Amino acid sequence: MAEKNIMLVVAYEGTRYCGWQKQPDSPGIQGELEYACTQAFNKKNINITGSGRTDAGVHALGQVANFTVDTTIPVDKIPEVLNNRLPKDIAVLRAQEVKSEFHARHSAHKKTYRYQIYPSRIRSPFLKDFAYQVKYDLDLDRMKEEIIHLLGQHDFKGFMSSGSDIKSTVRTIYRADIYKRGDLIVIEVEGNGFLYNMVRIIAGTMVDIGRGKITESLRDIIGSGVRARAGHTAPPQGLFLVGVDYPEDLKNI
């Protein structure tokens, strides 16, 4: 039987996990999915590739992964089969057979992230794992004025944490929004790729701008390329990977 290349769209609540990547001594989303696959397909070694790593405590509404397997299980039944074997805080939303050259990480051409901020001096037991509580008044109008400077192609090396060996720090941001939704301030950014902790540094910078700690323009901060001029790295629990986009010709077999 020929192997199929299967794409999964996965949602998870990342609080209990060390991140996407499996670790020998800590639970990772990748490891949980691979274990569920070995059970479902009765295979010993199934390697799942994700569109990118998410850190400990980060969530996903639409993480994308792929793996190859020879199976008689209909592709449209795979989500149900895997979800019966996965923890309740991980769910496969959709499965699709894709072309053999489809690769969840290398084929991705656009990602969307959301970051949630809870500006309140009173903590919420319902938001503690899903938003960054900020005990300061934030100037949303100024934050809106500044966030537009993210748009376009820039060298974002000042918005990357150390520890990455990436060769190019140039990225293109297609959309950058900030808005109020109920008690939350929500940041959404869409781009062709993101550096290590880039979205969390953007969020921390926007918070520091909103509270008046940073007074210079975001445009000048980006142009400087200096990490120290950007804001702090916001904590992981407010961050969601919303979705990943791919060329349609790779998804259609």
Side-chain angles (χ1 to χ4, degrees):
M1 184 184 303
E3 286 194 330
K4 299 175 181 178
N5 190 12
I6 305 296
M7 180 187 78
L8 302 178
V9 179
V10 186
Y12 50 84
E13 199 264 276
T15 304
R16 291 196 310 118
Y17 299 95
C18 64
W20 165 262
Q21 190 173 23
K22 60 185 176 183
Q23 303 288 343
D25 301 318
S26 302
I29 307 297
Q30 179 189 27
E32 296 288 348
L33 284 167
E34 290 181 350
Y35 180 69
C37 284
T38 59
Q39 292 183 309
F41 302 115
N42 195 26
K43 307 289 182 183
K44 288 187 176 180
N45 295 306
I46 291 184
N47 297 312
I48 294 182
T49 299
S51 70
R53 300 176 185 177
T54 51
D55 291 336
V58 174
H59 316 294
L61 305 177
Q63 170 71 287
V64 176
N66 77 290
F67 65 97
T68 57
V69 66
D70 57 329
T71 179
T72 58
I73 298 174
V75 174
D76 63 343
K77 299 296 183 183
I78 288 176
E80 182 179 357
V81 169
L82 293 181
N83 288 338
N84 287 336
R85 294 164 171 81
L86 284 166
K88 300 300 183 183
D89 45 11
I90 305 174
V92 176
L93 306 180
R94 185 162 58 90
Q96 178 180 339
E97 186 177 358
V98 289
K99 289 184 176 178
S100 60
E101 59 265 37
F102 177 94
H103 189 282
R105 184 172 72 255
H106 299 320
S107 302
H109 69 86
K110 186 168 63 174
K111 292 183 180 181
T112 303
Y113 281 94
R114 177 181 301 155
Y115 195 92
Q116 298 189 156
I117 301 164
Y118 177 51
S120 175
R121 291 174 176 80
I122 306 299
R123 73 178 184 270
S124 166
F126 305 107
L127 294 174
K128 64 181 179 64
D129 295 326
F130 304 104
Y132 172 25
Q133 182 183 358
V134 175
K135 299 180 181 180
Y136 306 100
D137 294 327
L138 299 178
D139 185 343
L140 184 58
D141 288 337
R142 179 157 185 258
M143 295 166 79
K144 288 181 177 180
E145 290 173 0
E146 291 297 329
I147 200 169
I148 62 174
H149 296 304
L150 292 171
L151 295 172
Q153 185 181 84
H154 304 284
D155 187 339
F156 284 100
K157 64 181 177 182
F159 286 76
M160 180 180 70
S161 293
S162 60
S164 174
D165 58 356
I166 199 82
K167 292 181 179 179
S168 173
T169 52
V170 175
R171 296 291 185 272
T172 301
I173 301 299
Y174 306 118
R175 181 170 64 88
D177 296 325
I178 187 165
Y179 56 90
K180 193 80 183 294
R181 188 180 68 192
D183 295 330
L184 298 172
I185 292 175
V186 180
I187 297 170
E188 286 199 9
V189 286
E190 180 182 278
N192 66 348
F194 294 88
L195 305 171
Y196 179 44
N197 281 342
M198 179 173 162
V199 180
R200 289 169 57 188
I201 295 171
I202 288 172
T205 302
M206 296 311 301
V207 167
D208 287 344
I209 287 173
R211 61 178 289 205
K213 184 177 180 180
I214 291 178
T215 57
E216 66 177 318
S217 172
L218 184 61
R219 176 176 51 199
D220 296 333
I221 296 170
I222 295 170
S224 74
V226 177
R227 174 67 187 92
R229 287 175 65 175
H232 65 286
T233 303
Q237 68 266 23
L239 183 59
F240 295 75
L241 173 59
V242 175
V244 190
D245 290 340
Y246 297 87
E248 287 300 319
D249 62 335
L250 290 180
K251 292 164 61 177
N252 296 324
I253 58 172

